């Protein structure tokens, strides 16, 4: 794409873990330096703007503290948090050849000595580009026979729960929210981390819609809503069932839609009968009248759009909560009208050819001759400290207890030293002298402090990829706009090179990104994709436009997409399941029900630790990404290193605004400054995730969170954490 003889403009895609997957135009000058990033005005969801995190992205790409070349830990430097700004002193520069040879040799030795499953990859969505997220890396670890990682930390509970109801993650198109007359944002901070939905919300608002936000915390979105309902953490499933109770009691359900499209209505109706407004009010902190009002408003407004986001499912009962909430638009038939229905994620619509990309078949030629064991990433602390020590099938070990201890950890696309729950257990694992740790990163982080080898990683401006989204329906090509900074390299390059050093002769390890994009799209003989919904897409189209809608979204006005309104859905019954056939077959409750989390105000543990902690995400960071940049830190300064408390909870502890307090439980403690917030429910405190090394005591909120897993999907339970607070 040409701009002027001196300037060139490239189509790229923001690959950070965000539903919006923005189309980003990058202007590059004659010296090959990126001089501008801007949202692509022609992309119907990006609409020409970027969020505050990425609008200044060049500060990140050209940051003076980028990791720019491979490094090896100096001998004798202990694995422990390194002083910020002095990390370089712990490492010595090596060439890529030296680093790759040494890493390959150590992985071979580890595999020979302890078995290949003693090697654990650890990655998540540091990039959500299709190639960067999971392609050459998966091939490499399958061929090696390394442990497989169950990538559960963020969205697995909600994703599986949605799929139990609807079979696949489809949702109403983002652009159609503008047609809604009621928008119910449930655990969805649209303004904070789904900003490209916001203009559609505003348009709906201008046309008379109401915005209701359900969230224990008064987010930016909640603060401007017509009605903010601050329920207690972990009570969402009770509220959803209470709404069903009222809807059914008053005959507000859509019987025709239910008869045609759903399975298990009678059983659900019986379950919902138990959830009277009075009982639900006692759990959620709402009044019975508010529950009735919300139910009536939700069921009688047309069209009604539900934006459900992943915060809801980070409680111990998060899977049941997402199931119950997801059933609401099916109960009222909200899907039938354009501008109605719901959205958790649109990712189920992107049928990438993962078989070709990930090559799980390579496990058959690994030393194991089979697929390796699976280790849950949400229990990394246990995986690093307990695996191999308790024997096969050990009780209470949530990571797979079979097989060897982990002796080599390969981290990329993630910063577990900051984001993994139970930080102190993770840290004990990372500090092990007998653990060989490789980290592929853009900056020094909480995790790189423990690296034996640190390898420089590219940003999305520096490599080519293809991407879908979980907040819209466009396939997008991200072209490399600039040369990699220093000696930074992409995931595809890194794992292809390592495979060759390991002696893996399969030709797939020599595939180029361009070849892998064609594989992801399953390009057929006629040059078009053969993936479902992508049959009209060619690489040339993507090169030209940057973004191409999926087939069902190609003509949104003439042929609007109304998911779940006809035909069968991919569940065992072929219907939207109020009653889960799969769960019942597994001997579990086929219906959602409210079970208070083991760490909540109703549990025994609350006698010792009575406050429910919301270990919150930031609006201006992406989990831990961006937290090192001064401009981004400034935007989060107001709540930095603070614990927000209801005034009654503060007073009961003799704590005043600005006091230094100790927040603690049996897993750990951190010191924070008290900040009073009357919008929080009493008994709930809130603190933001930050880098551990940027906290004075070297630990962040994850020193308090647990490795207990969600009811569905084995996800992390960041929002089911009990603590006590005491003045220092
Ligand atoms: S973080 Fe999200 S909103 Fe911001 S530019 Fe990236 S995709 Fe867009």
């Amino acid at each position: 794409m040409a701009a002027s003889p001196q300037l060139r403009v490239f189509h790229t895609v923001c690959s950070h873990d965000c539903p919006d997957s923005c189309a980003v135009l990058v202007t590059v000058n004659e010296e090959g330096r990126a001089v501008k990033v801007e949202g692509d005005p022609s992309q119907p969801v990006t609409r020409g703007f970027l969020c505050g995190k990425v609008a200044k992205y060049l500060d990140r790409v050209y940051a003076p503290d980028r990791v720019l070349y491979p490094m090896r830990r100096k001998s004798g430097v202990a694995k422990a948090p390194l002083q910020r700004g002095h990390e370089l002193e712990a490492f010595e520069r090596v060439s890529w050849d030296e680093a790759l040879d040494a890493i390959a040799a150590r992985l071979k030795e580890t595999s020979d000595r302890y078995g290949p499953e003693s090697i654990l990859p650890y990655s998540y969505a540091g990039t959500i580009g299709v190639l960067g997220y999971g392609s050459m890396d998966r091939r490499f670890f399958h061929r090696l026979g390394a442990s497989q990682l169950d990538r559960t930390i963020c969205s697995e509970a909600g994703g599986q729960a949605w799929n139990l109801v609807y079979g696949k993650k489809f949702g109403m198109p983002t652009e159609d929210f503008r047609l809604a007359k009621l928008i119910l944002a449930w655990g969805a901070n649209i303004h904070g981390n789904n900003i490209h939905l916001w203009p559609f919300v505003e348009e709906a608002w201008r046309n008379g819609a109401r915005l209701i936000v359900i969230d224990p915390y008064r987010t930016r979105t909640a603060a401007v809503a017509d009605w903010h309902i601050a329920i207690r953490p972990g009570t969402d499933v009770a509220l959803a069932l209470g709404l069903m109770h009222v809807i059914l009691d008053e005959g507000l359900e859509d019987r025709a839609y239910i008869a045609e499209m759903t399975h298990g209505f009678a059983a659900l109706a019986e379950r919902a009968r138990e959830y009277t407004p009075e009982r639900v009010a006692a759990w959620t902190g709402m009044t019975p009248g508010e529950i009735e009002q919300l139910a009536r408003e939700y069921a009688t407004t047309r069209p009604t759009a539900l934006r459900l986001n992943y915060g809801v499912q980070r409680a111990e009962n998060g899977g049941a909560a997402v199931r119950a909430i997801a059933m609401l638009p099916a109960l009222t038939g909200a899907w039938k009208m354009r501008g109605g229905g719901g959205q958790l994620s649109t990712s189920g619509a992107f049928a990438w050819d993962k078989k070709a990309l990930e090559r799980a078949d390579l496990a058959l030629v690994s030393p194991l001759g089979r697929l390796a064991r699976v280790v849950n990433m949400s229990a990394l602390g246990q995986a690093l400290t307990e695996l191999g020590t308790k024997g096969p099938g050990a009780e209470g070990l949530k990571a797979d207890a079979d097989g060897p201890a982990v002796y080599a950890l390969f981290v990329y696309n993630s910063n577990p030293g900051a984001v993994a729950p139970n930080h102190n257990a993770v840290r004990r694992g990372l500090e092990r002298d007998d653990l060989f740790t490789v980290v592929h990163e853009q900056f020094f982080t909480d995790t790189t402090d423990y690296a034996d080898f640190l390898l420089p990683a590219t940003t999305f401006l520096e490599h080519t990829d293809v991407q879908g989204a979980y907040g819209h329906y466009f396939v997008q090509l991200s072209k490399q706009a600039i040369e990699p900074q220093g000696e930074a390299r992409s995931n595809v390059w890194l794992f292809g090179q390592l495979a060759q050093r390991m002696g893996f002769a399969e030709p797939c390890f020599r595939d180029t990104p361009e070849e892998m994009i064609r594989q992801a799209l399953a390009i057929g003989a006629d040059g078009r994709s053969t993936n479902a919904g992508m049959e009209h897409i060619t690489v040339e189209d993507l090169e030209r436009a940057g973004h191409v809608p999926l087939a069902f979204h190609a003509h949104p006005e003439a042929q609007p997409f109304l998911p779940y309104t006809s035909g069968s859905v991919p569940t065992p019954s072929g219907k939207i399941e109020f009653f889960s056939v799969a769960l019942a077959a597994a001997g579990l409750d086929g219906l959602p029900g409210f079970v208070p989390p083991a760490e909540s105000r109703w549990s025994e543990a609350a006698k010792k630790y009575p406050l429910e902690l919301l270990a919150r995400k930031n609006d201006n960071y992406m989990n831990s990404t961006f937290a090192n940049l001064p401009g981004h830190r400034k935007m989060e300064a107001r709540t930095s290193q603070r614990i927000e408390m209801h005034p009654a909870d503060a007073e009961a502890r003799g704590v005043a605004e600005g006091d230094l307090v100790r927040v603690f439980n049996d897993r750990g403690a951190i010191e924070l400054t008290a900040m009073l917030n009357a919008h929080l429910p009493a008994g709930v405190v809130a603190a933001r995730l930050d880098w551990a090394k940027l906290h004075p005591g070297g630990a962040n909120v994850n020193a308090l969170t647990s490795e207990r897993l969600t009811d569905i999907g084995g996800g992390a339970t960041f929002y089911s954490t009990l603590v006590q607070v005491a003045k220092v």
Side-chain angles (χ1 to χ4, degrees):
M1 192 175 176
S4 75
Q6 289 79 33
L7 299 175
R8 286 183 304 154
V9 178
F10 292 82
H11 282 293
T12 69
V13 187
C14 174
S15 67
H16 289 283
D17 188 3
C18 169
D20 300 9
S21 280
C22 288
V24 183
L25 299 177
V26 179
T27 305
V28 178
N29 70 14
E30 65 269 34
E31 274 109 42
R33 189 176 175 88
V35 292
K36 188 160 88 175
V37 293
E38 60 193 322
D40 185 344
S42 73
Q43 212 275 19
V45 176
T46 306
R47 296 172 90 181
F49 75 97
L50 302 174
C51 68
K53 294 180 271 279
V54 172
K56 292 184 187 161
Y57 204 69
L58 299 183
D59 289 353
R60 180 174 176 85
V61 174
Y62 295 115
D65 53 346
R66 274 280 298 266
V67 171
L68 292 176
Y69 43 80
M71 287 175 242
R72 175 171 51 208
R73 188 173 209 86
K74 285 180 184 165
S75 105
V77 176
K79 291 187 178 179
L82 299 168
Q83 197 188 337
R84 187 81 187 130
H86 291 267
E87 293 95 337
L88 256 181
E89 296 162 18
F91 295 93
E92 58 194 1
R93 181 173 180 171
V94 292
S95 68
W96 266 108
D97 279 338
E98 280 176 282
L100 292 168
D101 284 343
I103 294 166
R106 181 68 181 252
L107 294 181
K108 266 188 210 156
E109 185 194 321
T110 304
S111 174
D112 290 347
R113 193 160 165 203
Y114 303 107
E117 287 171 312
S118 66
I119 300 165
L120 178 67
Y122 191 96
S123 74
Y124 197 65
T127 167
I128 59 170
V130 171
L131 305 191
Y133 177 78
S135 62
M136 195 66 90
D137 55 316
R138 305 295 205 272
R139 294 177 182 179
F140 175 75
F141 289 114
H142 281 313
R143 176 65 181 81
L144 188 60
S147 288
Q148 300 184 82
L149 187 72
D150 199 2
R151 291 176 171 81
T152 57
I153 199 165
C154 180
S155 63
E156 197 60 14
Q160 286 195 23
W162 182 275
N163 287 346
L164 283 167
V165 181
Y166 291 106
K168 233 179 199 178
K169 282 185 276 182
F170 281 88
M172 54 183 288
T174 297
E175 301 92 311
D176 284 359
F177 275 76
R178 70 192 161 85
L179 302 171
K181 289 294 177 212
L182 170 65
I183 296 171
L184 181 58
W186 200 319
N189 179 8
I190 299 167
H191 204 284
N193 46 40
N194 183 196
I195 190 68
H196 291 83
L197 176 56
W198 192 251
F200 300 110
V201 173
E202 283 189 325
E203 196 177 330
W205 236 345
R206 281 197 298 275
N207 292 325
R210 264 167 60 85
L211 172 66
I212 300 176
V213 173
I214 301 173
D215 198 314
Y217 188 82
R218 196 169 181 85
T219 61
R220 280 186 203 174
T221 314
V224 297
D226 296 298
W227 186 12
H228 171 210
I229 303 170
I231 60 169
R232 294 171 182 149
T235 62
D236 307 76
V237 60
L239 177 55
L241 285 160
L243 297 179
M244 291 180 198
H245 178 102
V246 178
I247 289 167
L248 296 172
D249 211 37
E250 301 189 4
L252 302 176
E253 73 275 18
D254 185 332
R255 288 274 173 163
Y257 181 85
I258 290 167
E260 188 190 340
M261 294 299 299
T262 72
H263 168 79
F265 172 69
L268 179 70
E270 205 176 316
R271 174 62 55 88
R273 210 172 295 139
E274 300 166 23
Y275 287 81
T276 62
E278 291 71 25
R279 285 185 79 202
V280 172
W283 285 316
T284 57
M286 296 171 73
T287 65
E290 287 172 332
I291 293 163
E292 285 163 359
Q293 182 191 333
L294 178 62
R296 284 180 202 128
E297 198 169 333
Y298 177 77
T300 58
T301 310
R302 297 279 186 276
T304 293
L306 167 71
R307 179 61 170 114
L308 170 60
N309 214 334
Y310 284 109
V312 169
Q313 46 97 68
R314 294 194 185 106
E316 207 181 320
N317 56 13
V322 167
R323 279 182 72 215
I325 298 165
M327 290 172 188
L328 290 170
L331 201 65
T332 60
W335 294 107
K336 291 194 310 195
M337 284 182 81
R338 195 172 170 206
Q343 189 191 93
L344 171 70
S345 167
T346 58
S347 63
F350 296 89
W352 306 109
D353 189 346
K354 288 198 174 164
K355 202 169 154 202
L357 281 174
E358 298 181 1
R359 295 291 309 272
D361 58 296
L362 290 168
L364 303 178
V365 290
S366 74
L368 290 175
R370 58 166 169 82
L371 280 171
R373 69 172 175 191
V374 178
V375 174
N376 188 335
M377 72 184 306
S378 298
L380 179 64
Q382 291 184 37
L384 295 181
T385 59
E386 296 182 33
L387 267 182
T389 63
K390 291 190 175 173
E395 284 272 324
L397 195 61
K398 291 174 197 107
D400 185 333
D402 290 335
V406 175
Y407 287 102
L409 178 71
F410 205 124
V411 181
Y412 55 106
N413 294 354
S414 188
N415 178 13
V419 303
N422 200 0
H423 173 79
N424 289 327
V426 172
R427 186 167 152 181
R428 280 195 296 280
L430 292 172
E431 283 172 352
R432 278 173 41 203
D433 283 337
D434 60 349
L435 179 71
F436 176 67
T437 301
V438 181
V439 184
H440 188 220
E441 246 302 352
Q442 295 164 357
F443 291 93
F444 289 108
T445 67
D446 284 329
T447 308
T448 61
D449 284 355
Y450 303 89
D452 290 284
F453 276 91
L454 172 53
L455 307 174
T458 43
T459 65
F460 71 83
L461 270 58
E462 299 159 71
H463 58 240
T464 292
D465 210 327
V466 68
Q467 197 165 312
Y470 58 98
H472 63 63
Y473 287 125
F474 293 84
V475 173
Q476 303 186 105
L477 186 67
S478 190
K479 290 290 283 182
Q480 181 180 340
I482 57 172
E483 287 302 312
Q485 294 302 287
E487 296 178 12
R489 294 292 180 268
S490 68
N491 292 350
V492 168
W493 184 90
L494 166 61
F495 289 104
Q497 288 293 314
L498 257 184
Q500 289 167 47
R501 308 274 165 155
M502 298 289 292
F504 300 160
E506 289 79 7
C508 68
F509 290 114
R510 292 187 163 75
D511 286 346
T512 64
E514 288 71 22
E515 288 166 334
M516 293 177 78
I517 287 170
R518 298 179 78 80
Q519 291 161 11
L521 289 163
I523 296 293
D526 65 351
R528 295 180 188 283
S529 172
T530 56
N531 293 337
M534 299 184 191
E535 297 90 344
H536 58 303
I537 296 179
T538 67
V539 173
E540 294 69 33
D541 291 339
L542 288 169
E543 294 265 3
R544 198 167 37 250
H547 51 88
V548 179
L550 292 170
F552 60 79
H553 194 51
H555 307 288
E557 296 308 319
Q559 294 166 300
F561 177 53
L562 297 174
Y564 314 118
T565 47
S566 61
S568 67
V569 295
T571 58
S573 64
K575 304 270 187 186
I576 297 167
E577 293 197 357
F578 291 136
F579 180 89
S580 168
V581 173
L583 287 180
L588 301 168
D589 189 354
L591 296 166
F594 175 60
V595 179
E599 291 198 35
S600 67
R601 63 184 67 211
W602 296 280
S603 62
E604 190 60 24
K607 287 185 184 145
K608 194 170 173 194
Y609 299 115
L611 297 172
E612 295 169 326
L613 171 71
L614 289 173
R616 295 184 54 239
K617 304 286 175 82
N618 306 275
D619 289 351
N620 297 293
Y621 309 158
M622 188 65 66
N623 297 314
S624 72
T625 306
F626 296 109
N628 59 315
L629 296 174
H632 291 67
R633 292 197 74 75
K634 212 166 156 188
M635 292 193 280
E636 291 287 349
R638 197 182 69 84
T639 53
S640 182
Q641 321 264 317
R642 302 285 198 282
I643 179 103
E644 296 179 65
M645 304 181 73
H646 190 276
D649 294 321
E651 194 186 344
R653 289 162 179 78
V655 171
E657 175 84 23
D659 281 349
L660 189 64
V661 297
R662 185 164 175 268
V663 186
F664 61 99
N665 59 21
D666 285 342
R667 290 177 290 271
I670 52 173
E671 288 190 358
L672 297 167
T673 301
M675 183 175 171
L676 304 193
N677 180 351
H679 295 300
L680 276 172
V684 178
V685 293
R688 286 195 296 99
L689 175 71
D690 201 347
W691 284 14
K693 65 192 297 171
L694 296 176
H695 276 266
N700 63 11
V701 285
N702 279 321
L704 304 163
T705 57
S706 81
E707 292 175 274
R708 196 173 286 112
L709 302 177
T710 51
D711 52 350
I712 292 172
T717 54
F718 295 108
Y719 300 156
S720 293
T721 301
L722 285 175
V723 297
Q724 180 56 291
V725 173
K727 196 169 164 177
V728 172

